[in-house]
Amino acid sequence: MARPFALDPLFRALTALPGIGPRNVKLLEKLVGGPKILDLLWHKPIDLVDRRFTPKIAEAPDGRVSTLSVQIHKHFPNERKGQPYKIWCTDETGTINLVFFHAHRAYLEKLFPIGETRIVSGRVEHYQGKLQMTHPDAVGTLEERAQIEILEPIYPLTQGVSGKILHKAALTALKTLPALEEWIDPHYKTRNRWPDWKEAVETLHSPPDETTLDPLHPARARLAYDELLAGQLTLALVRNRQKRQSGRSFPVKGALRNRLLAALPFALTGAQERALAEIDADMAANSRMLRLLQGDVGSGKTVVAALSMLSAVENGAQAALMAPTEILARQHAESLKPWLEAAGIRFAVLTGRDKGKSRETLLHQIGNGAIQIAIGTHALFQEDVAFADLGLAVIDEQHRFGVHQRLELSSKGKGTDVLVMTATPIPRTLTLTAYGDMDVSRLDEKPPGRKPVDTRLIPAEKLDAMIEGLKRQIETGARIYWVCPLVEESDILDLAAAEERYDHLKQIFGDRVGLVHGRMKPADKDEVMEKFAGGALDILVATTVIEVGVNVPQATIMVIENAQRFGLSQLHQLRGRVGRGAEQSYCFLVYSGLLNETAKERLSVMRQTEDGFLIAEKDLELRGAGDILGVKQSGALNFRLAELPAHNELLAAARDDARLIIEKDPELKTPRGEAVRTLLYLFERDQAIQYLRSG
Ligand code: ADP
Ligand code: MG
């Protein structure tokens, strides 16, 4: 089945609408987030102007938006540049001047013919004892009255696209709205008093009253639910498909595990024990494991992964651990080495750097099973890498991957179990959205004995004094990360700021300062990072590219400039780079300018806690969903209609509903299933529909 014909009008190009042509379509596409009419319909008004107030001239109050019906009497063109052009109008109660600056005479004469009646809407001002309306927002003939006297939606705009054009285009688009079969459960819909889809879209752009701006208004809530449901259905379909492919059973036998445990210089935390028990149960079961292991940097995910990999090996299969970067892969190998050796495991590292003969040898050993555990980058999952029998794939810190990539990664083996590790603590509600297809284990307890990072707020004016302090710290062997301002939407500006700071610090500290940024070649970046890790550099200046997870235990100081611009979760991630050794660590949050209340509250949260989950919840509360670190790019949280946290409850309901729908009607063949397919097409989840077919 292809996309239902009923949806065609919604998928036409924006240029099919009046007022939208080749000149402004690009701007509009960018503004509304897509090239089709549906994108425009999903562009939500942010405010309303009430043009339904229609007083007589004499009753029009100062400063209020009024819609007047006036007779045109006389034009007073401006005599000199800079003077306003005035048009004298009346009704039976009084007179008012329409005022225009930079006026085009011919245009105004045509728009306001003398002797005729016109409807004008705008803010009325009492000026030097007279009434005037400067640049009416809307003008029309008596016949057009009904289109003017409305609650007019105000849209987020961009230079080059006017609200008028947008509104007119939206109204035209509404005329071709199809009525769609209902996909929402009828009881749930009635209980919420939700309108049909069509009516909900109409309400958005042709609002009957002020309450429609509220995210919890039935029309907005319904549309949000549609979007959330489409997302959750996609995840449920992915999950269903994964689970249907029969898994393997890897019961824990214990011999290898005990050897590794005996080699550990510490006991597992309660959280590690719990997570491991959950993983053990999944791996022992016949279905496929799809589990997310969430835990702050330093919460001890690696050892949990290692113990899980042993379960696969113990049952005669192989395991793979994939990290997002070369450095991280090597660091993993480094820290796993003593443990795996103690357990007598044959393991190897494979990254993009392995070429030629050595690579061939590695591939051969992976292929014949001589290597039991492979650690590497995405190079592990390239086409020419064939495992003898991959039982478990562990994927570290991969918030940058989407659902589909997860599918690809696990397709290297038959029924391969998948464990995803992330150091981005995500609030529970968002976990649903981003990882709704996975089961979740949380490491919410840190290994004992960590010193809290001493976190301080430093106003930018005190930077020099702080640098004096750093000099003393460096003399005693401290190593410093220095993160430069994040300027939204411009990595060029980011870079300029970082380079400037780098030059500045070099003047003070000499050669022992390094710079890394996102525009460097990976190999160059790695080289600088390695120098810092090895102690050849004392200060590492960086844009935000400090790779998640890079471990330099000797680094004890984190300086973050313009800290007020970062999200809490980002600050938390950055701070997590220090406090990994035995020494006392510091985090200096340097801020510039005056902070507003929210900014103050956010930065003080950082001083109060190091609990990533708590910080993530706060971040969500204070900033909304889209900004939580990293997940934005993955697309998982780019909502058009839903707003978190306002729609948190809907999200949970959508998840339950999606799972239920797929459970009862896995092929979406019932009438409701058909409607659900339409929903998926509406939100361009075509890929999810493919899973139905090929599964
Ligand atoms: P993550 O990968 O979650 O960032 P790691 O697995 O790298 O964290 O663990 C951080 C450090 O803590 C490592 O040096 C590790 O050996 C140590 N560690 C892990 N678990 C424990 C524990 N239960 N008790 C003490 N130290 C631990
Ligand atoms: Mg780690």
Side-chain angles (χ1 to χ4, degrees), residues 352-519:
R353 272 196 209 168
D354 297 296
K355 302 241 158 71
K357 193 85 195 111
S358 81
R359 180 180 157 87
E360 250 163 56
T361 313
L362 280 174
L363 290 190
H364 184 70
Q365 292 174 331
I366 290 174
N368 67 15
I371 289 175
Q372 295 165 300
I373 291 183
I375 301 164
T377 55
H378 58 272
L380 276 180
F381 293 93
Q382 268 153 18
E383 266 166 38
D384 59 340
V385 184
F387 285 84
D389 180 16
L390 182 61
L392 170 66
V394 180
I395 303 162
D396 187 21
E397 328 225 88
Q398 59 95 58
H399 51 253
R400 23 191 127 189
F401 301 127
V403 177
H404 308 308
Q405 280 148 313
R406 287 212 282 282
L407 276 178
E408 276 165 30
L409 294 176
S410 55
S411 66
K412 277 280 162 188
K414 283 210 173 66
T416 304
D417 284 332
V418 177
L419 179 68
V420 173
M421 303 197 289
T422 173
T424 311
I426 304 178
R428 282 192 194 279
T429 46
L430 295 191
T431 314
L432 280 185
T433 345
Y435 298 102
D437 55 331
M438 309 190 91
D439 301 302
V440 178
S441 297
R442 284 182 152 199
L443 293 184
D444 49 10
E445 180 185 344
K446 288 219 170 117
R450 295 275 155 82
K451 280 202 191 112
V453 177
D454 185 341
T455 301
R456 302 183 185 184
L457 306 186
I458 311 278
E461 301 80 59
K462 300 247 170 81
L463 200 66
D464 288 339
M466 187 191 77
I467 289 178
E468 284 306 310
L470 294 183
K471 278 186 193 159
R472 288 191 295 277
Q473 293 276 355
I474 288 180
E475 277 160 23
T476 67
R479 249 172 270 169
I480 304 172
Y481 288 109
W482 189 300
V483 177
C484 274
L486 176 92
V487 181
E488 298 275 347
E489 286 155 32
S490 168
D491 50 346
I492 298 181
L493 286 184
D494 273 1
L495 182 52
E499 276 172 342
E500 195 176 314
R501 181 59 73 205
Y502 169 64
D503 289 340
H504 173 212
L505 291 174
K506 260 172 80 157
Q507 279 167 22
I508 301 170
F509 295 98
D511 282 347
R512 297 182 61 84
V513 184
L515 172 68
V516 284
H517 57 76
R519 301 199 148 207

Side-chain angles (χ1 to χ4, degrees), residues 296-298 300-302 328 332 396-397 421 423 548-549 580:
D296 259 332
V297 166
K301 296 183 291 294
T302 319
L328 274 172
H332 270 313
D396 187 21
E397 328 225 88
M421 303 197 289
V548 179
R580 298 179 150 205

